[in-house]
């Protein structure tokens, strides 16, 4: 199995996301800060960790009722497929305020394969200070926020 350096993965992903100003927006987390790995409920059942030991952990906060989120998630599905087999973990994050069926329908429409985690009580939203949606964060395998 070939390993891909985190800077290379992250640089490509970051370049893609930098095209959208809406991809900026963590008020309480700065690049270089450590992101706490938490276990969260998955929209399709069970629980999953936010982060993994992948060289790039990409997490996307989105809203199923927002057109910008719908457009972004459709575009992300192509990038998700393009990075398949590389050391990149993709995770969608949605507030528990949204009905499960609405989230699942949007994920299916967008064509994403990544797990979608439910942020109960908007705890992660608050901890990171998510100010805009959609917003993307990238953490390395050491859980350091390297871009958003």
């Amino acid at each position: 199995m070939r390993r891909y350096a985190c800077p290379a993965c992250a640089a490509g992903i970051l370049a893609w996301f930098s095209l959208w100003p809406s991809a900026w927006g963590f008020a309480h987390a700065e690049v270089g800060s450590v992101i706490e790995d938490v276990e969260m409920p998955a929209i399709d059942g069970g629980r999953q960790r936010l982060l993994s030991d992948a060289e790039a952990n990409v997490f996307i906060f989105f809203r199923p009722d927002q057109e910008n989120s719908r457009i972004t998630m459709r575009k992300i599905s192509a990038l998700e497929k393009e990075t398949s087999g590389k050391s990149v973990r993709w995770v969608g994050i949605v507030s528990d305020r949204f009905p499960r069926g609405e989230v699942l329908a949007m994920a299916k429409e967008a064509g994403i394969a990544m797990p979608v985690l439910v942020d109960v009580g908007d705890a992660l939203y608050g901890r990171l200070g998510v100010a805009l949606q959609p917003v993307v964060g990238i953490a390395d395998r050491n859980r350091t926020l390297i871009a958003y």
Side-chain angles (χ1 to χ4, degrees), residues 26-125:
F26 289 166
H28 301 147
E30 296 179 12
V31 170
S33 60
V34 174
I35 303 296
E36 179 185 355
D37 187 18
V38 293
E39 187 177 77
M40 302 170 73
I43 197 74
D44 58 357
R47 297 181 68 80
Q48 290 196 27
R49 307 283 321 163
L50 172 64
L51 305 172
S52 73
D53 67 349
E55 296 201 29
N57 288 277
V58 182
F59 48 98
I60 305 108
F61 291 87
F62 71 95
R63 297 174 54 124
D65 66 343
Q66 181 190 62
E67 189 58 26
N68 284 341
S69 286
R70 290 177 183 279
I71 292 167
T72 298
M73 294 307 277
R74 279 194 297 268
K75 291 179 179 182
I76 283 174
S77 78
L79 191 56
E80 182 184 25
K81 289 176 182 88
E82 190 177 308
T83 59
S84 177
K86 297 180 182 176
S87 187
V88 179
R89 179 161 189 256
W90 295 88
V91 176
I93 302 167
V94 67
S95 173
D96 65 347
R97 294 174 289 145
F98 297 105
R100 179 180 182 271
E102 186 178 351
V103 176
L104 290 171
M106 183 208 182
K108 182 177 180 181
E109 173 195 321
I112 59 171
M114 69 185 78
V116 175
L117 306 182
V118 179
D119 190 10
V120 178
D122 295 333
L124 188 57
Y125 277 77

Side-chain angles (χ1 to χ4, degrees), residues 16-31:
W16 192 83
F17 284 114
S18 69
L19 300 175
W20 288 281
S22 64
W24 307 323
F26 289 166
H28 301 147
E30 296 179 12
V31 170

